[in-house]
Amino acid sequence: MLTAYPPVLQMHGGGVRMYHNIRILAQQHGVRVISFVENERERELLRSLEGVCESITAVQRIADFRPHWLSLDPFLVREFDTPAMHEAIEAAFCEKPVDVLQCEYLQMAQYKRRGVFSVLTIIETQSDNAWAAFQKESDPSLKLKLFYRWMQVLRYEVSSTRRFDRVVTMTEEDAVYLRSYSPDVDIRAIPIGINPEEFRPLAGDPTHPLKVLFVGNFRHTPNVEAARFLVTEIAPFFPQLRFVLSGANLPEDLKATANVDCPGYVTDLRTLYERPNTIVMAPLFSGTGQRVKLLEAFSMACPIVATSIAAYGYPVSSGREMLIANSAADFRHALAQLVSSEELRTKLGMAGREMILKRLDWLQIGPRLLEVVNPS
């Protein structure tokens, strides 16, 4: 398995998904992992895989930032094209036979090799994101650049998916999108799961003050946009509520205010979800894929307000497991409903937990991940 980022639990949703994918595969197969790392902290985090898989090799990522005018390949290819990765893969193939090569993230598709059954995992559809960025831009010169970038990413994503024996997406929405370009490719939507025993509801304490929680790694642009939305469009209208923005790499211009706290990276996120008085909000207006932050909130029976985009990959409907909101007015109305009704908060939280138990437990998803790597 080749990974663009460390497949560990302590970084982001993609890392969580990769860690459990490796854990499940290793129950029946010998799994060797080669992962890019950016620094010594990430190299140290990889040690959490010791004893889980057969071996783990770290490769320092050194991006090529030189200008490549009129290149047909998007920057994400050069960003992850490092000689040391080619050498590590060659050494792994020489060491012992390889039955399946699994590439995690589109940028790792460049390392596909002939003659071996290959699986590509698309964590989120990059060309769809590039199209959305192009549509939102109003400046003519920037719009032209974004159009060219969209064409680069679309060409690369479509051609890459057609080269692999199987492609895995996190949501059916992403699978449908890719199938529209490559109807003959074996594309399977397999959601990210969770261990509901690990993320189980804390004992409810209605005396805890109400709070609004948003969790995310702020290196991801949609998370930054969501945090700014909460600070500017929601928090000022609810001065009596405490808003908590938790996650690493928070931009400097997003700072704590009278009712906004920014605790940074929290080691154990479970401590943040104090049901029924923690209201999780996910005002994500861009991006694709599945949002792990909602998995944890659902599993811990917290009420959720999120956009339709944030709910991709979840078998939910508004008013049953969560509330869907797609504008500032919608979010403010939904939050007011939840603030005024503990009964509604509890009802949504328990329905979300039930959905996790029925559909998104790793015990149910695991067999599908094992089936993906079976060439027959």
Side-chain angles (χ1 to χ4, degrees):
M1 183 180 287
L2 311 179
T3 69
Y5 308 98
V8 296
L9 301 175
Q10 301 91 337
M11 289 186 62
H12 47 64
V16 170
R17 190 262 177 202
M18 291 187 289
Y19 175 89
H20 285 288
N21 192 182
I22 293 166
R23 176 183 62 79
I24 290 166
L25 292 176
Q27 294 170 4
Q28 296 188 13
H29 304 279
V31 181
R32 291 180 288 162
V33 177
I34 307 176
S35 174
F36 273 122
V37 296
E38 290 188 22
N39 48 52
E40 287 306 310
R41 175 181 173 272
E42 292 187 357
R43 193 181 295 271
E44 184 65 22
L45 286 174
L46 282 178
R47 296 186 62 182
S48 63
L49 280 169
E50 293 177 357
V52 176
C53 57
E54 186 175 311
S55 67
I56 174 74
T57 301
V59 175
Q60 185 73 36
R61 180 159 66 88
I62 304 174
D64 179 2
F65 289 104
R66 296 172 300 170
H68 291 255
W69 305 114
L70 301 179
S71 172
L72 292 178
D73 290 333
F75 173 66
L76 64 86
V77 177
R78 300 192 304 278
E79 187 182 8
F80 288 82
D81 183 11
T82 299
M85 177 57 75
H86 288 279
E87 294 167 5
I89 297 169
E90 180 65 25
F93 271 77
C94 290
E95 179 183 350
K96 61 192 300 187
V98 176
D99 299 307
V100 180
L101 179 67
Q102 185 163 324
C103 299
E104 297 289 298
Y105 285 86
L106 176 62
Q107 45 267 54
M108 302 305 287
Q110 62 188 299
Y111 296 107
K112 181 187 181 301
R113 294 170 68 103
R114 294 181 180 178
V116 61
F117 186 84
S118 300
V119 178
L120 174 63
T121 302
I122 300 289
I123 301 292
E124 57 180 332
T125 48
Q126 297 287 350
S127 58
D128 202 7
N129 291 339
W131 164 249
F134 162 72
Q135 283 188 307
K136 288 171 59 177
E137 184 56 58
S138 57
D139 180 88
S141 61
L142 291 177
K143 198 171 185 69
L144 180 60
K145 291 180 180 179
L146 288 175
F147 176 80
Y148 188 75
R149 175 174 171 267
W150 169 49
M151 288 285 95
Q152 286 180 312
V153 178
L154 179 62
R155 172 190 170 276
Y156 186 75
E157 189 165 58
V158 171
S159 63
S160 294
T161 55
R162 291 176 178 175
R163 293 168 51 227
F164 280 77
D165 297 288
R166 288 197 182 126
V167 175
V168 177
T169 66
M170 308 300 98
T171 70
E172 186 60 33
E173 289 86 352
D174 282 358
V176 169
Y177 172 81
L178 291 175
R179 290 187 196 115
S180 70
Y181 290 100
S182 305
D184 296 328
V185 176
D186 185 352
I187 301 174
R188 307 183 182 192
I190 303 178
I192 304 171
I194 196 166
N195 179 352
E197 290 303 309
E198 179 182 5
F199 287 87
R200 60 188 308 151
L202 300 174
D205 186 350
T207 64
H208 284 158
L210 279 170
K211 71 179 178 185
V212 175
L213 174 66
F214 176 78
V215 176
N217 188 317
F218 294 102
R219 290 183 66 176
H220 194 46
T221 300
N223 288 338
V224 175
E225 294 171 345
R228 289 201 174 102
F229 177 88
L230 288 173
V231 170
T232 61
E233 300 291 340
I234 309 299
F237 294 86
F238 297 86
Q240 79 282 13
L241 287 181
R242 184 166 65 103
F243 287 73
V244 179
L245 310 179
S246 176
N249 305 300
L250 187 73
E252 292 184 2
D253 64 314
L254 278 174
K255 299 178 180 178
T257 64
N259 66 330
V260 176
D261 295 339
C262 304
Y265 175 75
V266 175
T267 304
D268 188 353
L269 290 174
R270 292 172 296 183
T271 61
L272 298 175
Y273 298 103
E274 300 168 319
R275 71 177 183 109
N277 288 353
T278 298
I279 300 170
V280 175
M281 301 193 85
L284 299 165
F285 296 97
S286 62
T288 59
Q290 185 183 357
R291 320 301 172 139
V292 171
K293 57 176 67 66
L294 295 192
L295 264 177
E296 296 161 351
F298 278 128
S299 190
M300 298 196 71
C302 286
I304 297 171
V305 186
T307 58
S308 301
I309 289 176
Y312 282 173
Y314 292 99
V316 296
S317 62
S318 187
R320 188 176 63 192
E321 295 88 0
M322 64 183 298
L323 297 180
I324 300 289
N326 289 308
S327 69
D330 290 344
F331 269 93
R332 291 194 287 265
H333 176 69
L335 182 54
Q337 284 184 284
L338 291 172
V339 168
S340 64
S341 175
E342 180 182 337
E343 180 182 356
L344 178 60
R345 298 197 300 272
T346 301
K347 171 192 164 187
L348 293 176
M350 295 311 295
R353 168 78 178 175
E354 187 66 21
M355 177 271 295
I356 291 291
L357 294 173
K358 289 181 177 179
R359 304 286 292 276
L360 295 174
D361 188 327
W362 278 121
L363 293 176
Q364 298 163 329
I365 295 171
R368 298 167 67 184
L369 295 174
L370 289 166
E371 185 181 327
V372 164
V373 300
N374 183 356
S376 61

